[in-house]
Amino acid sequence: MNRREKSLAIAVGCLGAALAAVWLFHWLVLKPWREADRQTTSLRDRLRQVTEERQAFFKAQVYLEGVVTNTFHSDPEAAAAAAGKLLTDLISQLGLSDAQFTRIPSGPRRLRGAQEVGWTVQGEGPMARIVDLLFSLEQGAPVHRIDNLVLTAADRPGRIKARFRYLTLVVDPPPAAIPLDPAPEVAMDRSARRQYDLIVDRDLWRPYVRRAVAASEPSAPRSMPPPSAGSGPRLNLLKVVSLSEWRGVPEVHIFDTASMRVQRYRPGDELAGARIVMIDYRRRPRPDKPDLWSASRVILRWGSEYWAVEHGQTLADKHLLSPGDLPPDMPEA
């Protein structure tokens, strides 16, 4: 072997040794180091996930204890009995007849981590009292749900039939918390309850009486409270929501969007500085939308002029009537 061959052999040996050293460094140092780094990252992510789950667990536990303190009882039968007693007490306190109401047990129905118990309630009474009952149950402290509410007209005028399910929860298994002992609470002076007066004032199930002739003898003018506070009525806040008849007498229902209340008027009454002359039930095109027809309107007299407000419009949308637009059966002023 000459000198050149020896040099090449030495070079190849050195290169092989260098490659072997790199390979050994990779397997003995780099690969374990990378594996340890990957495991460290995975453990760090797992630790963060466990910490978040632990915080969520304690938060859920506090929330669940708060829910339990607003349930009737930790036992399904006792909870159903307490809910039934609450229903009976409210029905009695609100002036409804207990003999007109039936209560049938509903449940228990198993849910994830709880049981649902309650009652199917069916009864009859004045609309205002039925609304009071539903409002009191909805505003009650116990955890509850009112389901399948059905309202229908009763045989007697001014009364309705109500059917609904009043359901509550029993946490299973219950945490270390004491359920409440709810007492019936009737608070009809709340502002939230006054928003439901519109349901009663509209009286949706009142029987319709077809108008034969215009009221020739309007009722005597009554002293009506102002429909809105302030120095004078704001016509854009007063909306005509009903032009129906009750026992042959036309009525005008005005909804005040400022006070969220409905006021009832009759021909001859004063309204926003005008006199209600009559309700016109002729089918005529709407003045603002000639392609649509209006079935009724209230006719008002301001001074010597006659104005009409269509059903569904505000008093600000009134339009002036010419002598040819006046109904032929309009009573003389």
Side-chain angles (χ1 to χ4, degrees):
M1 178 181 296
N2 55 29
R3 186 176 181 181
R4 181 178 179 184
E5 290 176 347
K6 289 181 179 180
S7 300
L8 289 174
I10 294 173
V12 171
C14 292
L15 179 61
L19 292 175
V22 171
W23 183 83
L24 289 174
F25 181 78
H26 173 76
W27 283 99
L28 297 178
V29 179
L30 290 181
K31 187 174 181 181
W33 180 78
R34 291 174 180 173
E35 182 67 20
D37 185 65
R38 185 186 64 80
Q39 292 179 359
T40 301
T41 303
S42 177
L43 291 175
R44 187 182 295 110
D45 294 340
R46 178 59 182 166
L47 178 61
R48 183 173 61 253
Q49 181 181 358
V50 170
T51 303
E52 293 176 353
E53 291 177 353
R54 185 172 180 271
Q55 293 175 351
F57 170 80
F58 286 114
K59 183 178 180 181
Q61 186 180 32
V62 173
Y63 172 77
L64 189 60
E65 290 178 354
V67 171
V68 171
T69 57
N70 287 319
T71 57
F72 286 99
H73 205 277
S74 58
D75 180 71
E77 294 184 0
K85 182 178 183 300
L86 177 66
L87 288 167
T88 302
D89 292 343
L90 278 177
I91 290 172
S92 175
Q93 291 189 23
L94 291 172
L96 293 166
S97 175
D98 186 70
Q100 297 289 332
F101 280 81
T102 60
R103 290 166 291 279
I104 302 174
S106 178
R109 184 169 71 97
R110 284 200 169 275
L111 305 173
R112 184 179 180 183
Q115 296 185 57
E116 187 180 62
V117 298
W119 298 84
T120 298
V121 184
Q122 184 170 350
E124 175 184 331
M127 182 181 294
R129 295 291 179 262
I130 296 295
V131 173
D132 288 344
L133 175 61
L134 295 174
F135 176 79
S136 299
L137 291 175
E138 185 64 28
Q139 297 296 319
V143 177
H144 68 277
R145 177 166 64 96
I146 297 178
D147 193 19
N148 294 344
L149 174 62
V150 178
L151 301 177
T152 56
D155 297 333
R156 288 182 289 175
R159 299 174 67 87
I160 62 172
K161 296 179 180 179
R163 186 178 186 276
F164 60 91
R165 290 199 306 162
Y166 181 77
L167 305 172
T168 186
L169 286 178
V170 177
V171 179
D172 186 22
I178 301 177
L180 56 81
D181 183 14
E185 180 182 1
V186 179
M188 295 297 106
D189 57 341
R190 298 179 180 175
S191 59
R193 171 60 182 87
R194 290 195 291 271
Q195 298 178 4
Y196 292 81
D197 289 339
L198 181 60
I199 301 175
V200 181
D201 294 334
R202 289 294 300 271
D203 198 358
L204 300 179
W205 287 274
R206 182 173 55 188
Y208 172 73
V209 180
R210 188 176 181 84
R211 177 179 181 273
V213 294
S216 58
E217 296 181 1
S219 58
R222 298 176 293 173
S223 177
M224 308 298 292
S228 59
S231 59
R234 292 167 289 179
L235 302 184
N236 62 320
L237 301 180
L238 305 179
K239 185 177 181 179
V240 179
V241 295
S242 176
L243 295 174
S244 57
E245 290 185 354
W246 174 241
R247 296 181 179 179
V249 180
E251 293 181 347
V252 182
H253 291 211
I254 301 296
F255 176 55
D256 189 340
T257 57
S259 63
M260 301 297 292
R261 296 187 63 87
V262 174
Q263 182 67 50
R264 186 181 305 171
Y265 300 88
R266 292 180 178 178
D269 294 339
E270 292 186 1
L271 172 61
R275 180 77 62 181
I276 300 177
V277 180
M278 65 174 295
I279 300 175
D280 183 13
Y281 290 101
R282 296 178 299 168
R283 188 170 181 266
R284 299 177 62 85
R286 290 177 60 100
D288 55 341
K289 300 177 181 178
D291 295 336
L292 300 179
W293 292 85
S294 174
S296 58
R297 63 206 54 83
V298 57
I299 297 181
L300 306 171
R301 180 177 178 180
W302 268 286
S304 60
E305 297 178 333
Y306 292 92
W307 299 75
V309 181
E310 306 294 329
H311 179 274
Q313 291 184 333
T314 66
L315 297 189
D317 300 323
K318 65 183 185 300
H319 57 279
L320 182 64
L321 297 177
S322 63
D325 295 331
L326 297 177
D329 55 348
M330 191 177 72
E332 296 181 0

